[in-house]
Amino acid sequence: MATKRWHTTIDQRSYDIEVRDSPWTGRVRVFVDGTEVTRGAGSREVAQRIIFPLGGHVATVAWMNYGKGGKYYDIVIEGRSISTGRQARPRENPYESLGASWLLLIGVAAILGGVLWFGALPEIRLALEGREAAARIISGHVSSGRSTNYYLRYAFVSADGETKTAEGHVSYDTYRSTSSGDVITVIYVPSDPDIQRPASYDERAALIGLLAMFGVGLPYTVAMVWRAQRTRAITAALADRAIRTIATVDKVSKEFLGQGTRRISYRYDDAEGRARKGRSPRLYAEEAAAYAPGSNATVAYDSNNGANSMWLGAADPNATVWVTGAR
């Protein structure tokens, strides 16, 4: 059972808060000073809330799920996180960090390169240069793992008269219906006979599917790296030369697969009077509910590049907003 603990002082009284999460049922139990005060049914897919009284105040347990081992809890009292002492905000997805984004990009690029080099390019050569030949089966074997694969070993005579021994992937029906000494048709590249396969086993549809999947994934992961790098650069720049200004809220949108979080689109004018636009990080619905389109909020932008901005929210940086029960 996963357990998260906090110690906090409210109105000169100390409290020990404990959240226990069952990995089997997902049920979340809240204890204050060792006594269970409430419980709720957890979920691995969406953000949940558990509201309970704490020293005359209303406290909220909020959490985000980011995959296995990535559940992050917080206790929010009147909009303020007792973990950070600031406005409660969802923790950033660790899988979207700069390091994780680079690892994902490298992984996708490596897989795409492997599919191209070992699968697509040989198939292209077979389609353009391939020649059929009769091959005599020598033996066969079965490879079992997550799936069962069938292979035949055979010999054929290439265009230059050399006898080549090779192995190829075949279907279950072909494997079952053939035996040593039988003849099957193979297709090979005369200038490079090592590029060959049984003519009956065409993997082009599967290769096209893999290329499409990882081909789409590559620009997506490039964009992830770019966003993570840009966020880091903006954060570093604003730490040195941020200018605060009032922005106008344009739209509050619900994040797709964002566990109920929101993003706020806003506009502001920089010091030179140029209109700029920005977008907040993921916000809890309770914070976003305090900002309707047309309302004002505080943002900070880079004095050297007015297009780079960061959402702050409340006009008073020490204030917090939290609409209890907002969805």
Side-chain angles (χ1 to χ4, degrees), residues 50 67 69 76 96 103 113 116 148 157 159 162 172 194 198 201 207 219 224 229 231 250 254 268 302 315 320 322-323:
I50 297 178
V76 184
E96 294 178 356
L103 287 175
L116 282 169
T148 302
V157 179
E162 182 181 355
Y172 169 72
D194 288 333
Y201 197 82
L207 287 170
M224 285 183 62
Q229 185 66 58
T231 299
D250 285 331
K254 187 174 182 179
Y268 61 97
D302 184 353
T320 56
W322 190 263
V323 181

Side-chain angles (χ1 to χ4, degrees), residues 173-241:
D173 290 335
T174 300
Y175 183 84
R176 184 184 61 176
S177 62
T178 56
S179 58
S180 297
D182 289 349
V183 175
I184 62 171
T185 300
V186 299
I187 182 171
Y188 72 100
V189 175
S191 60
D192 189 355
D194 288 333
I195 299 177
Q196 56 77 39
R197 64 168 170 80
S200 63
Y201 197 82
D202 191 343
E203 296 182 296
R204 282 177 289 185
L207 287 170
I208 290 172
L210 287 172
L211 287 172
M213 180 172 63
F214 289 101
V216 170
L218 187 62
Y220 176 78
T221 53
V222 169
M224 285 183 62
V225 171
W226 177 82
R227 284 196 300 267
Q229 185 66 58
R230 183 172 182 269
T231 299
R232 175 177 288 189
I234 291 175
T235 302
L238 292 178
D240 293 332
R241 51 180 184 268

Side-chain angles (χ1 to χ4, degrees), residues 69-183:
K71 184 177 285 188
Y72 300 100
Y73 288 96
D74 200 3
I75 303 294
V76 184
I77 301 175
E78 297 175 350
R80 194 178 300 275
S81 163
I82 67 172
S83 299
T84 65
R86 299 187 297 271
Q87 172 75 54
R89 297 270 167 83
R91 181 165 175 171
E92 291 296 321
N93 189 337
Y95 300 112
E96 294 178 356
S97 66
L98 183 58
S101 298
W102 267 114
L103 287 175
L104 186 59
L105 173 59
I106 292 170
V108 169
I111 294 173
L112 181 61
V115 172
L116 282 169
W117 185 257
F118 296 106
L121 293 180
E123 278 295 333
I124 291 172
R125 293 196 65 184
L126 287 171
L128 297 176
E129 309 172 42
R131 180 181 297 183
E132 291 187 350
R136 191 167 299 277
I137 297 174
I138 300 172
S139 62
H141 70 93
V142 179
S143 174
S144 298
R146 289 188 174 181
S147 61
T148 302
N149 297 288
Y150 302 90
Y151 299 89
L152 291 177
R153 189 166 182 80
Y154 42 77
F156 65 94
V157 179
S158 62
D160 59 5
E162 182 181 355
T163 299
K164 301 290 293 185
T165 301
E167 184 176 273
H169 198 178
V170 296
S171 66
Y172 169 72
D173 290 335
T174 300
Y175 183 84
R176 184 184 61 176
S177 62
T178 56
S179 58
S180 297
D182 289 349
V183 175

